[in-house]
Amino acid sequence: MKTLAKLAAVGASGALLAGIGAGVASADGPESDNATVTVAVDQASTFALDSPTIDLGHGLAGMSVTGTDGYQVTTNDPNGWAVQVSGSDFVGPETFPIGTLQLGGSPVTATPSTDDSDNKPTPVAGTHVNDHFAMTIPNVRVGAYQSTLTYNFVPG
Amino acid sequence: MPVPQIATFKLAAAPAATIAHGSAHETLIVANEGKHVQSIAGVMQSYMRVGGRCVLTRSDGSKWGKITPSHFKLGPNTSREVHVALTVPHGAKGQHDLLASFFGQVPGHGSVHVRGSVGSLLDVKLPGKSNACISLSAPVTHGGSPLVAIIIGVAVVAVLATVGVILRSRRNRRNKSVVS
């Protein structure tokens, strides 16, 4: 990915080492000097949401509504990555708990929990994850309700 | 395959540093590669093992460090440096995984607002029992007491022996694909 290349810098760990000019010379030719070229590649990570909002639509109490969102992550950390997700309670004319919202069949929690992870770096082009949300509309007063989901991308 | 174009931002870690005597300063680069201006908030979090689970907590993380500036805006395709100052709290023991996280959010309409963050791990190693999520075998500077080794960003690559605990707990409930 070109942006990773842009961020290459000297002085970090994860150094790449290349030797050039190995000093090979013919028996009757002049000997050459050796030169060592080093470059260090910094850790770089990206996180991109497909959409900043999820619209679950509307319905009556007891009805099921669904929505989707996704994200793409990239990291060159050889130890991989993890994404944790948490959410705030829905606020409107009254409140109801974030656990009403299901992510992949499990309730979303107020404290971050692992959404997805891998133990190796992403491909250079990145890894994309789709999240599927569902909710059974609770028996609350009529109105619009909002919550905020927070994704934490943790390289390493 | 959706094309990510919203709230895309990047974090690049500065060169690794090993620092003793309980404090460290590092520089990170935060870039907005998205198409919208983003309001970004820098937050120190602690990545702790609580009840067998690895959780991010802000309350503990804020004791350890400060990000300057902590709030800023980035236009599309722009970047800026931010500085992280770490100070070991009095009486702290064991290994600690801290995460310098940068949260971005763009406005939108919907019942659920979503914001994302990208972080860089900062590892602190002190004598004593650890409840850190990521076990360290990072180099420790000897000769002082307490000894503190703080490895920013890239140094984490060498020390994540127990990250498999986290990684193996994946729920496989997502539809993951590799972008080609």
Side-chain angles (χ1 to χ4, degrees), chain A residues 28-56:
Chain A
D28 54 356
E31 291 189 1
S32 62
D33 290 333
N34 291 334
T36 300
V37 178
T38 62
V39 62
V41 179
D42 280 351
Q43 184 193 59
S45 305
T46 68
F47 181 89
L49 287 166
D50 291 351
S51 172
T53 60
I54 304 165
D55 191 354
L56 296 173

Side-chain angles (χ1 to χ4, degrees), chain A residues 44-110:
Chain A
S45 305
T46 68
F47 181 89
L49 287 166
D50 291 351
S51 172
T53 60
I54 304 165
D55 191 354
L56 296 173
H58 61 90
L60 300 171
M63 288 180 60
S64 293
V65 291
T66 61
T68 61
D69 201 355
Y71 54 85
Q72 181 168 321
V73 293
T74 68
T75 183
N76 58 354
D77 189 320
N79 294 287
W81 54 273
V83 171
Q84 296 206 335
V85 64
S86 59
S88 64
D89 288 348
F90 282 84
V91 176
E94 55 186 299
T95 63
F96 58 91
I98 184 61
T100 311
L101 182 66
Q102 303 264 317
L103 169 53
S106 300
V108 177
T109 55

Side-chain angles (χ1 to χ4, degrees), chain A residues 43 49 52 54 79 115 131 149, chain B residues 6 112-114 154 157 174:
Chain A
Q43 184 193 59
L49 287 166
I54 304 165
N79 294 287
D115 180 54
D131 277 346
L149 283 184
Chain B
I6 298 171
V112 181
H113 288 259
V114 188
V154 288
V157 300
R174 306 290 169 265

Side-chain angles (χ1 to χ4, degrees), chain A residues 1 3-4 7 10-13 41-57 69 72 74 77-82 84-85 90 101 103-104 106-107 109 111-120 123 125-132 145-156, chain B residues 1-16 29 33 45 47 53-58 99 101 103-121 134 153-161 163-164 166-180:
Chain A
M1 184 163 59
T3 47
L4 283 182
L7 289 164
V10 175
S13 64
V41 179
D42 280 351
Q43 184 193 59
S45 305
T46 68
F47 181 89
L49 287 166
D50 291 351
S51 172
T53 60
I54 304 165
D55 191 354
L56 296 173
D69 201 355
Q72 181 168 321
T74 68
D77 189 320
N79 294 287
W81 54 273
Q84 296 206 335
V85 64
F90 282 84
L101 182 66
L103 169 53
S106 300
T109 55
T111 55
S113 60
T114 301
D115 180 54
D116 209 337
S117 60
D118 206 345
N119 58 4
K120 58 183 182 296
T127 296
H128 190 269
V129 177
N130 286 320
D131 277 346
H132 302 281
Y145 292 80
Q146 287 195 335
S147 169
T148 298
L149 283 184
T150 301
Y151 285 94
N152 284 275
F153 178 39
V154 185
Chain B
M1 176 66 59
V3 178
Q5 56 182 326
I6 298 171
T8 301
F9 56 109
K10 162 172 275 185
L11 173 67
I29 300 169
E33 297 186 338
Q45 300 188 93
Y47 202 31
R53 293 175 57 230
C54 290
V55 297
L56 287 164
T57 61
R58 291 192 182 193
L99 192 71
S101 295
F103 291 85
Q105 188 168 11
V106 295
H109 300 285
S111 48
V112 181
H113 288 259
V114 188
R115 64 178 192 159
S117 79
V118 63
S120 182
L121 276 170
I134 301 170
V154 288
V156 175
V157 300
V159 297
L160 304 186
V163 73
I166 309 165
L167 306 180
R168 283 192 290 271
S169 69
R170 60 187 295 185
R171 301 175 187 175
N172 290 323
R173 67 189 184 191
R174 306 290 169 265
N175 176 15
K176 182 191 293 186
S177 59
V178 175
V179 176
S180 57

Side-chain angles (χ1 to χ4, degrees), chain B residues 68-97:
Chain B
T68 306
S70 58
H71 292 82
F72 53 94
K73 288 187 177 181
L74 280 180
N77 297 313
T78 60
S79 64
R80 70 160 297 157
E81 289 186 348
V82 295
H83 303 281
V84 180
L86 285 181
T87 303
V88 176
H90 181 70
K93 297 178 181 177
Q95 299 173 352
H96 298 265
D97 300 325

